[in-house]
Amino acid sequence: EYTFYSRFVVIGRTDELNAINEKLTHIDNLLIVNGMGGIGKTTIAFEYAKIMCLKYNHFLAINGQEDMEMALLNDALLLANLGLTERIAPYLNDMRQNPKSDGKAQAMKLLLHTLSQLSKTVLFIIDDATANNLSLLKTWKNTLRNAHILVTSRSKSNDLNSYEIGTLSEPDAIRLFFSYYDINNINYNKDTIT
């Protein structure tokens, strides 16, 4: 059961949300939502999670700017919920004591295997993934067949399914603006606002 507390107002993105659902459900288990900075990729991804929360039994979200593997391996709540805290600890200790060891790879193999064995559908959001991190997603996509992996990124990949987010229509952009700003406290020319 999920409770999403969104700090975002979503206006004019119904078509995009429907397209994301269609692509994740019927085309591929991984989708990269592309667009320029500030276009609303993160807002759309978390709105999708909020709207579709009853479709998924498990939810993960990480920042794609970081070392994504370490973001997962350092998530104490995730490891505890999966019953992996004690099983992964030796690999992480090995990795910390000897950075050239294969501890990180072994820990990730165990984590991905455990996630892939979940009997219900997983929604995994990776927000603001870098170009370097996109290449890692090919392995995750093939391993996590029970997951829908929704990635937001300014970067593009020729090898992975993507969906480009465009700008809002002018009326939707104006509605969005005024949903954040009190019209009574803004000095504007009413003739230029439709």
Side-chain angles (χ1 to χ4, degrees), residues 141-174:
K141 169 188 179 248
N142 294 326
T143 303
L144 300 175
R145 298 304 304 167
N146 62 329
H148 288 165
I149 305 169
L150 182 56
V151 182
T152 68
S153 182
R154 294 178 194 180
S155 302
K156 295 187 180 194
S157 169
N158 294 329
D159 303 330
L160 298 169
N161 192 19
S162 65
Y163 180 71
E164 187 79 23
I165 298 294
T167 58
L168 288 171
S169 67
E170 185 176 341
D172 285 341
I174 291 168

Short mmCIF file of all heavy atoms in Angstrom, two decimals, residues 141-174:
data_model
loop_
_atom_site.label_atom_id
_atom_site.label_comp_id
_atom_site.label_asym_id
_atom_site.label_seq_id
_atom_site.Cartn_x
_atom_site.Cartn_y
_atom_site.Cartn_z
N LYS A 141 17.29 -4.32 -16.85
CA LYS A 141 16.07 -4.57 -17.63
C LYS A 141 15.88 -6.06 -17.88
O LYS A 141 14.79 -6.60 -17.74
CB LYS A 141 16.17 -3.81 -18.96
CG LYS A 141 15.13 -4.17 -19.96
CD LYS A 141 15.47 -3.48 -21.28
CE LYS A 141 14.50 -3.81 -22.28
NZ LYS A 141 14.46 -4.46 -23.34
N ASN A 142 16.94 -6.73 -18.25
CA ASN A 142 16.87 -8.15 -18.56
C ASN A 142 16.72 -9.01 -17.30
O ASN A 142 16.09 -10.06 -17.34
CB ASN A 142 18.08 -8.59 -19.37
CG ASN A 142 18.09 -7.94 -20.74
OD1 ASN A 142 17.04 -7.73 -21.33
ND2 ASN A 142 19.25 -7.62 -21.24
N THR A 143 17.29 -8.58 -16.20
CA THR A 143 17.21 -9.33 -14.95
C THR A 143 15.87 -9.13 -14.27
O THR A 143 15.29 -10.07 -13.75
CB THR A 143 18.35 -8.90 -13.99
OG1 THR A 143 19.60 -9.09 -14.64
CG2 THR A 143 18.32 -9.71 -12.71
N LEU A 144 15.38 -7.91 -14.27
CA LEU A 144 14.15 -7.56 -13.54
C LEU A 144 12.94 -7.61 -14.47
O LEU A 144 12.28 -6.60 -14.70
CB LEU A 144 14.29 -6.18 -12.88
CG LEU A 144 15.42 -6.05 -11.88
CD1 LEU A 144 15.54 -4.61 -11.39
CD2 LEU A 144 15.23 -7.01 -10.71
N ARG A 145 12.63 -8.79 -14.95
CA ARG A 145 11.49 -8.94 -15.86
C ARG A 145 10.16 -8.69 -15.17
O ARG A 145 9.15 -8.44 -15.80
CB ARG A 145 11.50 -10.33 -16.51
CG ARG A 145 12.71 -10.64 -17.36
CD ARG A 145 12.99 -9.68 -18.47
NE ARG A 145 11.86 -9.53 -19.38
CZ ARG A 145 11.75 -8.59 -20.29
NH1 ARG A 145 12.70 -7.70 -20.43
NH2 ARG A 145 10.70 -8.51 -21.06
N ASN A 146 10.13 -8.77 -13.84
CA ASN A 146 8.90 -8.54 -13.07
C ASN A 146 8.74 -7.06 -12.71
O ASN A 146 7.82 -6.71 -11.98
CB ASN A 146 8.91 -9.37 -11.79
CG ASN A 146 10.07 -8.98 -10.87
OD1 ASN A 146 11.13 -8.58 -11.35
ND2 ASN A 146 9.87 -9.13 -9.59
N ALA A 147 9.61 -6.22 -13.21
CA ALA A 147 9.60 -4.79 -12.87
C ALA A 147 9.29 -3.94 -14.08
O ALA A 147 9.64 -4.28 -15.21
CB ALA A 147 10.94 -4.37 -12.28
N HIS A 148 8.63 -2.83 -13.83
CA HIS A 148 8.53 -1.75 -14.81
C HIS A 148 9.52 -0.70 -14.33
O HIS A 148 9.40 -0.18 -13.22
CB HIS A 148 7.12 -1.19 -14.87
CG HIS A 148 6.15 -2.11 -15.52
ND1 HIS A 148 4.79 -1.95 -15.42
CD2 HIS A 148 6.33 -3.21 -16.30
CE1 HIS A 148 4.18 -2.89 -16.10
NE2 HIS A 148 5.09 -3.68 -16.63
N ILE A 149 10.50 -0.42 -15.17
CA ILE A 149 11.56 0.51 -14.82
C ILE A 149 11.30 1.80 -15.58
O ILE A 149 11.37 1.84 -16.81
CB ILE A 149 12.94 -0.06 -15.16
CG1 ILE A 149 13.13 -1.42 -14.48
CG2 ILE A 149 14.04 0.92 -14.76
CD1 ILE A 149 14.34 -2.20 -14.96
N LEU A 150 10.98 2.85 -14.85
CA LEU A 150 10.67 4.16 -15.43
C LEU A 150 11.82 5.10 -15.10
O LEU A 150 12.09 5.36 -13.93
CB LEU A 150 9.34 4.68 -14.87
CG LEU A 150 8.83 6.01 -15.40
CD1 LEU A 150 8.69 5.99 -16.92
CD2 LEU A 150 7.49 6.34 -14.74
N VAL A 151 12.49 5.57 -16.13
CA VAL A 151 13.70 6.37 -15.98
C VAL A 151 13.45 7.77 -16.52
O VAL A 151 12.88 7.92 -17.61
CB VAL A 151 14.87 5.73 -16.77
CG1 VAL A 151 16.15 6.53 -16.58
CG2 VAL A 151 15.06 4.28 -16.37
N THR A 152 13.85 8.79 -15.78
CA THR A 152 13.84 10.14 -16.33
C THR A 152 15.28 10.53 -16.63
O THR A 152 16.19 10.21 -15.86
CB THR A 152 13.20 11.17 -15.37
OG1 THR A 152 14.03 11.34 -14.23
CG2 THR A 152 11.80 10.74 -14.96
N SER A 153 15.49 11.19 -17.76
CA SER A 153 16.85 11.56 -18.13
C SER A 153 16.84 12.63 -19.22
O SER A 153 15.95 12.64 -20.07
CB SER A 153 17.60 10.32 -18.65
OG SER A 153 18.94 10.65 -18.98
N ARG A 154 17.84 13.46 -19.18
CA ARG A 154 18.06 14.40 -20.28
C ARG A 154 18.83 13.71 -21.40
O ARG A 154 18.84 14.17 -22.53
CB ARG A 154 18.84 15.62 -19.79
CG ARG A 154 18.08 16.45 -18.79
CD ARG A 154 18.90 17.61 -18.30
NE ARG A 154 18.27 18.17 -17.12
CZ ARG A 154 18.74 19.20 -16.46
NH1 ARG A 154 19.83 19.80 -16.85
NH2 ARG A 154 18.11 19.65 -15.39
N SER A 155 19.51 12.62 -21.05
CA SER A 155 20.32 11.86 -22.00
C SER A 155 19.45 10.87 -22.77
O SER A 155 18.41 10.43 -22.28
CB SER A 155 21.42 11.10 -21.27
OG SER A 155 22.23 11.99 -20.54
N LYS A 156 19.92 10.51 -23.94
CA LYS A 156 19.19 9.55 -24.77
C LYS A 156 20.03 8.30 -24.96
O LYS A 156 21.24 8.34 -24.86
CB LYS A 156 18.85 10.17 -26.12
CG LYS A 156 17.90 11.34 -25.99
CD LYS A 156 17.45 11.85 -27.32
CE LYS A 156 16.50 13.01 -27.07
NZ LYS A 156 15.76 13.39 -28.23
N SER A 157 19.35 7.21 -25.25
CA SER A 157 20.01 5.94 -25.53
C SER A 157 19.39 5.35 -26.79
O SER A 157 18.17 5.27 -26.90
CB SER A 157 19.83 4.98 -24.35
OG SER A 157 20.26 3.69 -24.71
N ASN A 158 20.24 4.93 -27.71
CA ASN A 158 19.74 4.30 -28.93
C ASN A 158 19.28 2.87 -28.68
O ASN A 158 18.55 2.31 -29.48
CB ASN A 158 20.83 4.31 -30.02
CG ASN A 158 21.15 5.72 -30.47
OD1 ASN A 158 20.29 6.60 -30.45
ND2 ASN A 158 22.39 5.94 -30.86
N ASP A 159 19.73 2.28 -27.57
CA ASP A 159 19.46 0.87 -27.29
C ASP A 159 18.25 0.63 -26.40
O ASP A 159 17.84 -0.51 -26.22
CB ASP A 159 20.67 0.23 -26.60
CG ASP A 159 21.94 0.37 -27.43
OD1 ASP A 159 21.83 0.41 -28.66
OD2 ASP A 159 23.02 0.43 -26.83
N LEU A 160 17.69 1.69 -25.82
CA LEU A 160 16.60 1.53 -24.87
C LEU A 160 15.37 2.31 -25.32
O LEU A 160 15.48 3.36 -25.95
CB LEU A 160 17.04 1.99 -23.48
CG LEU A 160 18.21 1.22 -22.86
CD1 LEU A 160 18.74 1.93 -21.62
CD2 LEU A 160 17.80 -0.21 -22.53
N ASN A 161 14.21 1.80 -24.99
CA ASN A 161 12.93 2.42 -25.34
C ASN A 161 12.81 3.79 -24.67
O ASN A 161 13.09 3.91 -23.47
CB ASN A 161 11.80 1.48 -24.89
CG ASN A 161 10.47 1.86 -25.46
OD1 ASN A 161 10.37 2.58 -26.44
ND2 ASN A 161 9.42 1.35 -24.84
N SER A 162 12.40 4.81 -25.42
CA SER A 162 12.29 6.14 -24.83
C SER A 162 11.02 6.84 -25.29
O SER A 162 10.40 6.47 -26.29
CB SER A 162 13.51 7.00 -25.14
OG SER A 162 13.58 7.25 -26.53
N TYR A 163 10.67 7.86 -24.54
CA TYR A 163 9.48 8.67 -24.83
C TYR A 163 9.83 10.12 -24.54
O TYR A 163 10.24 10.45 -23.43
CB TYR A 163 8.31 8.20 -23.96
CG TYR A 163 7.03 8.98 -24.18
CD1 TYR A 163 6.30 8.84 -25.36
CD2 TYR A 163 6.57 9.86 -23.22
CE1 TYR A 163 5.14 9.55 -25.56
CE2 TYR A 163 5.40 10.58 -23.41
CZ TYR A 163 4.69 10.43 -24.58
OH TYR A 163 3.54 11.13 -24.79
N GLU A 164 9.71 10.96 -25.53
CA GLU A 164 10.06 12.38 -25.41
C GLU A 164 8.90 13.19 -24.85
O GLU A 164 7.78 13.10 -25.35
CB GLU A 164 10.46 12.92 -26.79
CG GLU A 164 11.00 14.33 -26.78
CD GLU A 164 12.46 14.42 -26.34
OE1 GLU A 164 13.19 13.42 -26.46
OE2 GLU A 164 12.86 15.50 -25.90
N ILE A 165 9.18 13.98 -23.84
CA ILE A 165 8.19 14.87 -23.23
C ILE A 165 8.36 16.26 -23.85
O ILE A 165 9.46 16.81 -23.85
CB ILE A 165 8.39 14.97 -21.70
CG1 ILE A 165 8.20 13.61 -21.05
CG2 ILE A 165 7.45 16.02 -21.10
CD1 ILE A 165 6.82 13.06 -21.13
N GLY A 166 7.28 16.80 -24.35
CA GLY A 166 7.32 18.14 -24.94
C GLY A 166 6.83 19.20 -23.97
O GLY A 166 6.50 18.91 -22.81
N THR A 167 6.77 20.41 -24.45
CA THR A 167 6.29 21.51 -23.61
C THR A 167 4.77 21.45 -23.48
O THR A 167 4.09 20.83 -24.29
CB THR A 167 6.69 22.87 -24.23
OG1 THR A 167 6.13 22.96 -25.54
CG2 THR A 167 8.20 23.03 -24.29
N LEU A 168 4.27 22.12 -22.48
CA LEU A 168 2.83 22.24 -22.28
C LEU A 168 2.25 23.20 -23.32
O LEU A 168 2.95 24.09 -23.82
CB LEU A 168 2.52 22.80 -20.90
CG LEU A 168 2.75 21.88 -19.71
CD1 LEU A 168 2.60 22.67 -18.40
CD2 LEU A 168 1.78 20.72 -19.72
N SER A 169 0.97 23.04 -23.61
CA SER A 169 0.29 24.03 -24.44
C SER A 169 0.28 25.35 -23.67
O SER A 169 0.42 25.37 -22.44
CB SER A 169 -1.14 23.59 -24.74
OG SER A 169 -1.91 23.61 -23.53
N GLU A 170 0.11 26.45 -24.36
CA GLU A 170 0.11 27.76 -23.69
C GLU A 170 -0.98 27.86 -22.62
O GLU A 170 -0.68 28.29 -21.50
CB GLU A 170 -0.02 28.90 -24.71
CG GLU A 170 0.10 30.27 -24.06
CD GLU A 170 0.06 31.40 -25.06
OE1 GLU A 170 0.29 31.16 -26.26
OE2 GLU A 170 -0.22 32.54 -24.63
N PRO A 171 -2.22 27.45 -22.89
CA PRO A 171 -3.24 27.52 -21.84
C PRO A 171 -2.89 26.66 -20.62
O PRO A 171 -3.10 27.08 -19.48
CB PRO A 171 -4.52 27.02 -22.52
CG PRO A 171 -4.29 27.23 -23.97
CD PRO A 171 -2.82 27.06 -24.18
N ASP A 172 -2.34 25.46 -20.84
CA ASP A 172 -1.95 24.61 -19.71
C ASP A 172 -0.78 25.22 -18.94
O ASP A 172 -0.72 25.14 -17.71
CB ASP A 172 -1.58 23.20 -20.19
CG ASP A 172 -2.80 22.38 -20.55
OD1 ASP A 172 -3.93 22.73 -20.11
OD2 ASP A 172 -2.63 21.37 -21.26
N ALA A 173 0.16 25.82 -19.66
CA ALA A 173 1.30 26.46 -18.99
C ALA A 173 0.83 27.62 -18.12
O ALA A 173 1.31 27.81 -16.99
CB ALA A 173 2.31 26.94 -20.03
N ILE A 174 -0.12 28.39 -18.60
CA ILE A 174 -0.67 29.51 -17.81
C ILE A 174 -1.41 28.98 -16.59
O ILE A 174 -1.24 29.49 -15.48
CB ILE A 174 -1.57 30.40 -18.70
CG1 ILE A 174 -0.70 31.14 -19.73
CG2 ILE A 174 -2.37 31.39 -17.84
CD1 ILE A 174 -1.47 31.82 -20.83
#
